[in-house]
Amino acid sequence: MRRGEALRIVDDKGVSSVSLVGWREEDASERINCADTVKVQWSAAITKGGVILSDMGRVLLSVIEDTSGAHDLIVGGLHVGVHRRR
């Protein structure tokens, strides 16, 4: 993605999470770093206004809209349901 472009991810059923791998085009060794993103923002929850950082401390992505409010960089999405074992 280039600066100014947007990626929209839709989960119509509400039971999925997204795995995202990303890196800087100019230097593929610089990649998304969830641990640093959590440490710098003091939160594992990413929502509108939040950013996703690289391992070099640069902003790689910013969240410009969020209709879910349930994005967790550490554990991902959660589907709550009843499961029976036989």
Side-chain angles (χ1 to χ4, degrees):
M1 296 176 53
R2 304 230 184 272
R3 184 181 301 268
E5 292 181 329
L7 170 67
R8 183 175 186 209
I9 301 169
V10 178
D11 176 16
D12 292 331
K13 295 191 185 339
V15 296
S16 297
S17 62
V18 173
S19 293
L20 180 65
V21 176
W23 55 92
R24 196 164 149 242
E25 183 178 24
E26 298 83 9
D27 181 2
S29 69
E30 185 176 354
R31 64 203 184 288
I32 287 176
N33 187 309
C34 291
D36 285 353
T37 297
V38 170
K39 285 189 286 188
V40 169
Q41 296 177 113
W42 287 59
S43 176
I46 295 296
T47 189
K48 184 176 181 176
V51 296
I52 298 176
L53 300 173
S54 77
D55 54 353
M56 301 296 247
R58 296 183 228 258
V59 174
L60 289 184
L61 299 166
S62 58
V63 180
I64 58 173
E65 192 56 62
D66 176 15
T67 59
S68 168
H71 311 290
D72 190 312
L73 286 172
I74 298 172
V75 293
L78 175 63
H79 174 67
V80 178
V82 176
H83 301 282
R84 294 183 184 188
R85 290 187 178 195
R86 294 183 182 229

